[in-house]
């Protein structure tokens, strides 16, 4: 009698259907992977020389201080052997239970079986012992340059994160339990999710973080009322509709980063910074950048400044009939706003009344968590990639940022989607995070080489548009908003850049939370507080230590600062005018262009 004949009729049909589905999905999986276009191998990891240097330093340590090396090795062997013997003794005594000490807590191992089941507990504890040994081995290597040590530390952590037992079906109790409970249906659904992600990204495995069917731009996300009043090859300029009868005379032009879409500032009404600014009585213009294709390969920072910044500033002044503008730059757009202000200073142009920087780096002397990716082997790989394709593609940047938080942004979502068969959540922030943008090849290299690697703007040697730009030229009133746990634009690095700016009037705000939540922090949530300290001559740590802590959002602090620099109240302005007609309702057309098109 066959296995199928021993099953009830309904279960047999279900099994046959699942097997047929798996066969179909397997073929689609093979087809999707076959369409993958390989990228430069240098973008996958460091040159072998890093590991060669580490091995050389390790052997040198062995020769000079063998006792220390032996001590570490014997310590690891002893812990592993002791762990094994405890398990063996429990089995020999017929006690199928984990030891009393079930190991340190780790949120990856929150399933109770990691502590209560001897098999899973043994695997967990051995993984933690091995991870500690790798970490200790890296830290004990002394004859290695600090930058190389930092890179080695990062890549060693990537290896241990990748080898976590939660990442494998046979050693993940959540996945095993789900498969049993669903009679294998969760595995079929997980394979469907895997194949769908591969097919959506031309064979590249990019884990989908949010349900992309749950959101439609302009319908339930990015819904603030306004209109596109100008469009060129680089951007659409959106003017938002007033919600007050009177507005401040001086308008605001907000430049979001072109690495992502602008609607992070307009996810939904209750956390929309765009809506909040308009509700405070300001005329607000927001730039929506083009999502470039291969034809933009020769577009550089000068094009973003000329056809983006300078054009948007000019148009806002023309539409509002003012001589001055208050400018805002977020992340890389804040960096480029500083470049623009230096250029205007060189030209004797005083049209910008004040500048606001959101999590904007201008001094790259400390590369922070990006150190592993800002060395020549990686940048050479990126340069080769953009020379071949014309673009730094969105998925390459997304992968780089994700690996800085690989457990949260890669492995945990992959486990839920591919092993557990769960549908990604309908989470607007994660939807936005997955809606990335490409970077023009030339601009990417300018930024990575001239600013990130060589730090020429801070050093006063960055040449652009016929001028030598200098961070000290940023001498208009400014306010910098940073975030305490920001791993992209570390607040201490932002602080150092502000210290070098030439303005007499400088305000620095440190918000709690990170790169996104620290900025998208509406007052009604009463969630994250902020620090203020007028003494910017202090070292960063001392500045925070002596700062005043305030509960709640920094938004009202910024508005009070901005109000003093925004002039008298005038009648509210509707989007556009006779010379700048409405071209499309907000959020416009450029924001809808996907990176993989």
């Amino acid at each position: 009698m066959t296995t199928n004949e021993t099953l009830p009729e309904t279960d047999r049909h279900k099994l046959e259907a699942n097997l047929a589905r798996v066969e179909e999905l397997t073929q689609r999986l093979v087809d999707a992977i076959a369409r993958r276009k390989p990228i430069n191998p240098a973008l996958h990891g460091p040159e072998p020389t890093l590991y060669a240097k580490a091995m050389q330093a390790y052997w040198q340590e062995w020769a000079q201080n063998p006792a220390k090396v032996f001590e570490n090795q014997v310590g690891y062997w002893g812990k592993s052997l002791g762990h094994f013997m405890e398990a063996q003794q429990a089995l020999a005594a017929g006690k199928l239970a984990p030891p009393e000490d079930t190991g340190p807590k780790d949120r990856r191992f929150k399933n109770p079986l990691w502590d209560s089941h001897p098999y899973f507990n043994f695997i967990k504890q051995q993984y933690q012992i091995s991870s500690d040994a790798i970490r200790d081995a890296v830290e004990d290597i002394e004859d290695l340059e600090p930058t190389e040590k930092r890179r080695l530390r990062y890549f060693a952590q990537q290896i241990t994160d990748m080898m976590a037992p939660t990442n494998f079906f046979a050693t993940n109790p959540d996945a095993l339990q789900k498969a049993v409970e669903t009679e294998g249906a969760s595995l079929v659904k997980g394979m469907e999710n895997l194949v769908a992600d591969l097919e959506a990204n031309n064979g590249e495995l990019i884990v989908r973080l949010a349900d992309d069917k749950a959101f439609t731009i302009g319908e339930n996300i990015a819904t603030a009322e306004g209109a596109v009043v100008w469009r060129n090859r680089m951007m659409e300029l959106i003017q938002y509709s007033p919600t007050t009868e009177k507005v401040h005379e001086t308008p605001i032009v907000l430049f979001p980063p072109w690495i992502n879409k602008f609607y992070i500032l307009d996810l939904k009404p209750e956390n929309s910074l765009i809506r909040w600014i308009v509700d405070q009585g300001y005329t607000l213009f927001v730039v929506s950048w083009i999502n470039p294709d291969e034809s933009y390969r020769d577009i550089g920072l000068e094009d973003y400044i000329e056809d983006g910044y300078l054009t948007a500033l000019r148009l806002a002044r023309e539409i509002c009939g003012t001589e001055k503008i208050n400018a805002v730059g977020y992340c890389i757009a804040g960096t480029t706003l500083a470049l623009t202000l230096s250029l205007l200073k060189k030209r004797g142009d005083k049209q910008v009344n004040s500048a606001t920087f959101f999590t904007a780096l201008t001094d790259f002397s400390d590369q922070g968590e990006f150190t592993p990716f800002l060395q020549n082997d990686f940048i050479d790989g990126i340069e080769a990639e953009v020379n071949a394709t014309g673009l730094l593609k969105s998925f390459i940047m997304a992968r780089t940022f994700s690996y800085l938080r690989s457990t949260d942004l890669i492995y945990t979502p992959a486990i839920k989607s591919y092993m557990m068969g769960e549908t990604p959540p309908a989470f607007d922030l994660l939807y936005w995070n997955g809606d990335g943008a490409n970077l023009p090849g030339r601009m990417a290299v300018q930024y990575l080489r001239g600013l990130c690697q060589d730090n020429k703007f801070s050093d006063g040697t960055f040449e652009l548009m016929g001028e030598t730009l200098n961070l000290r030229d940023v001498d208009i009133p400014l306010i910098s908003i940073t975030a305490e746990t920001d791993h992209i634009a570390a607040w201490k690095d932002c602080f150092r850049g502000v210290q070098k700016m030439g303005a007499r009037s400088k305000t620095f705000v440190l918000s709690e939370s990170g790169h996104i939540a620290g900025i998208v922090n509406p007052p009604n949530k009463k969630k994250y507080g902020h620090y203020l300290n007028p003494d910017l001559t202090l070292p960063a740590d001392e500045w925070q230590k002596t700062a005043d802590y305030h509960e709640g959002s920094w938004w009202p602090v910024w508005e009070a600062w901005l109000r003093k620099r925004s002039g008298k109240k005038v009648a509210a302005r509707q989007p556009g005018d006779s010379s700048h007609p409405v071209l499309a309702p907000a959020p416009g057309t450029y924001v809808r262009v996907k990176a993989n098109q």
Side-chain angles (χ1 to χ4, degrees):
M1 182 178 288
T2 66
T3 303
N4 281 354
E5 290 174 330
T6 66
L7 293 172
E9 187 71 15
T10 54
D11 289 346
R12 184 162 61 84
H13 286 313
K14 185 184 295 184
L15 176 61
E16 290 173 351
N18 281 341
L19 290 175
R21 183 64 177 145
V22 168
E23 185 175 349
E24 175 195 338
L25 288 167
T26 301
Q27 185 58 50
R28 285 174 57 192
L29 178 69
V30 171
D31 292 343
I33 293 175
R35 293 198 299 272
R36 180 178 179 269
K37 297 179 181 178
I39 63 173
N40 192 306
L43 299 178
H44 292 298
E47 284 184 331
T49 53
L50 174 64
Y51 298 118
K53 289 177 182 177
M55 185 59 68
Q56 182 180 6
Y58 188 79
W59 284 115
Q60 188 170 344
E61 183 75 15
W62 184 291
Q64 294 178 351
N65 192 0
K68 181 179 179 181
V69 176
F70 273 118
E71 181 182 354
N72 290 344
Q73 287 295 314
V74 171
Y76 171 61
W77 296 338
K79 288 179 182 177
S80 296
L81 181 60
H83 184 218
F84 175 74
M85 291 299 296
E86 284 180 5
Q88 286 290 87
Q89 289 170 1
L91 288 172
K95 182 184 177 184
L96 293 176
E100 291 184 8
D101 180 6
T102 56
K105 297 301 180 183
D106 184 321
R107 56 194 174 88
R108 289 174 293 183
F109 306 115
K110 62 183 179 181
N111 188 311
L113 287 176
W114 287 112
D115 289 332
S116 64
H117 195 289
Y119 167 73
F120 291 115
N121 182 256
F122 179 85
I123 291 170
K124 180 193 78 168
Q125 290 210 47
Q126 188 58 45
Y127 167 73
Q128 291 172 328
I129 290 169
S130 299
S131 297
D132 290 343
I134 292 173
R135 191 176 303 111
D136 292 343
V138 170
E139 295 305 319
D140 285 342
I141 296 176
E142 296 181 356
D143 191 19
L144 201 62
E145 294 179 359
T147 296
E148 299 299 312
K149 181 75 167 284
R150 194 167 192 171
R151 300 184 79 205
L152 185 64
R153 186 183 294 123
Y154 168 81
F155 289 113
Q157 185 62 50
Q158 292 305 312
I159 291 170
T160 57
D161 287 347
M162 180 177 64
M163 298 307 295
T166 47
N167 296 338
F168 302 92
F169 179 71
T171 52
N172 187 318
D174 294 295
L176 290 167
Q177 287 177 316
K178 186 73 174 287
V180 171
E181 292 168 1
T182 63
E183 298 176 309
S186 61
L187 299 180
V188 176
K189 177 60 178 174
M191 195 167 182
E192 289 176 345
N193 292 342
L194 172 62
V195 171
D197 285 353
L198 286 168
E199 289 177 337
N201 296 286
N202 297 315
E204 230 15 276
L205 182 54
I206 301 174
V207 184
R208 192 157 40 104
L209 299 179
D211 182 2
D212 54 12
K213 296 181 177 62
F215 299 99
T216 301
I217 293 174
E219 293 185 13
N220 61 352
I221 196 169
T223 58
E225 292 186 7
V228 175
V229 295
W230 184 265
R231 181 185 295 124
N232 63 18
R233 63 173 184 155
M234 296 303 298
M235 57 108 180
E236 288 183 327
L237 184 64
I238 302 171
Q239 182 180 357
Y240 282 91
S241 301
T243 58
T244 57
E245 292 185 1
K246 297 281 188 179
V247 295
H248 291 279
E249 182 178 27
T250 306
I252 300 170
V253 180
L254 193 157
F255 298 96
W258 50 88
I259 294 175
N260 298 100
K261 307 290 184 65
F262 80 89
Y263 65 86
I264 185 60
L265 301 175
D266 187 32
L267 290 177
K268 50 193 173 188
E270 56 266 33
N271 67 357
S272 170
L273 178 60
I274 286 174
R275 289 175 182 265
W276 188 86
I277 292 171
V278 172
D279 287 346
Q280 308 314 303
Y282 294 90
T283 301
L284 176 65
F285 294 84
V286 174
V287 167
S288 175
W289 300 104
I290 188 68
N291 197 342
D293 57 23
E294 291 80 358
S295 67
Y296 281 72
R297 68 164 52 239
D298 295 323
I299 293 295
L301 282 168
E302 59 268 44
D303 298 288
Y304 279 89
I305 291 174
E306 187 64 53
D307 294 334
Y309 286 75
L310 299 182
T311 298
L313 295 172
R314 173 178 58 82
L315 291 167
R317 289 189 294 111
E318 289 177 359
I319 292 171
C320 295
T322 62
E323 295 182 359
K324 295 281 190 177
I325 288 288
N326 290 319
V328 182
Y330 191 173
C331 190
I332 190 176
T335 307
T336 312
L337 174 59
L339 292 172
T340 304
L341 295 174
S342 176
L343 178 69
L344 292 176
K345 170 73 172 180
K346 300 290 188 185
R347 293 178 175 179
D349 189 325
K350 299 181 179 180
Q351 63 177 295
V352 180
N353 188 55
S354 75
T356 298
F357 299 97
F358 293 163
T359 63
L361 292 168
T362 51
D363 182 325
F364 295 85
S365 55
D366 185 342
Q367 297 168 346
E369 291 196 42
F370 283 95
T371 298
F373 303 104
L374 291 177
Q375 307 314 305
N376 280 331
D377 52 356
F378 268 89
I379 305 302
D380 289 347
I382 287 175
E383 194 160 8
E385 175 71 14
V386 301
N387 286 339
T389 65
L391 294 170
L392 180 52
K393 294 181 179 178
S394 173
F395 83 87
I396 296 175
M397 291 182 288
R399 185 179 62 183
T400 300
F401 285 116
S402 294
Y403 271 109
L404 293 174
R405 295 292 182 271
S406 57
T407 296
D408 294 332
L409 296 177
I410 297 178
Y411 299 121
T412 297
I415 290 166
K416 290 181 178 179
S417 184
Y418 306 149
M419 286 192 205
M420 309 283 288
E422 296 178 4
T423 300
F427 187 9
D428 52 6
L429 176 59
L430 291 179
Y431 174 82
W432 166 84
N433 188 70
D435 187 17
N438 302 317
L439 294 185
R442 184 164 178 270
M443 174 265 144
V445 173
Q446 281 178 306
Y447 178 75
L448 292 171
R449 293 286 193 200
L451 296 176
C452 296
Q453 276 197 315
D454 297 338
N455 200 26
K456 288 184 176 180
F457 184 40
S458 178
D459 292 345
T461 59
F462 191 70
E463 295 185 5
L464 196 72
M465 302 174 74
E467 301 288 353
T468 301
L469 305 183
N470 192 323
L471 183 56
R472 299 194 184 281
D473 291 332
V474 181
D475 61 356
I476 63 173
L478 64 90
I479 184 171
S480 176
I481 318 297
T482 61
E484 189 173 15
T485 59
D486 192 336
H487 65 287
I488 295 173
W491 78 267
K492 293 179 184 178
D493 299 334
C494 297
F495 183 82
R496 188 173 57 251
V498 170
Q499 285 181 314
K500 290 186 176 181
M501 293 177 182
R504 288 196 300 269
S505 174
K506 294 188 283 191
T507 300
F508 191 85
V509 181
L510 177 60
S511 173
E512 291 181 310
S513 196
H515 193 70
I516 300 300
I519 299 300
V520 183
N521 181 23
N524 60 313
K525 296 291 184 180
K526 298 180 181 178
K527 196 168 185 181
Y528 301 118
H530 58 278
Y531 298 87
L532 294 172
N533 186 342
D535 189 355
L536 301 189
T537 65
L538 298 170
D541 288 328
E542 188 66 21
W543 180 91
Q544 184 180 20
K545 183 179 179 180
T546 58
D548 293 326
Y549 174 77
H550 301 267
E551 293 184 353
S553 173
W554 55 266
W555 291 11
V557 174
W558 176 53
E559 193 280 323
W561 180 91
L562 198 63
R563 191 189 318 141
K564 298 175 182 177
R565 295 161 176 84
S566 297
K568 63 180 186 295
K569 290 289 190 76
V570 299
R573 306 158 172 130
Q574 295 301 319
D577 60 18
S578 58
S579 301
H580 308 88
V582 168
L583 303 179
T589 60
Y590 283 4
V591 73
R592 304 175 196 273
V593 179
K594 298 296 182 180
N596 59 353
Q597 291 183 344

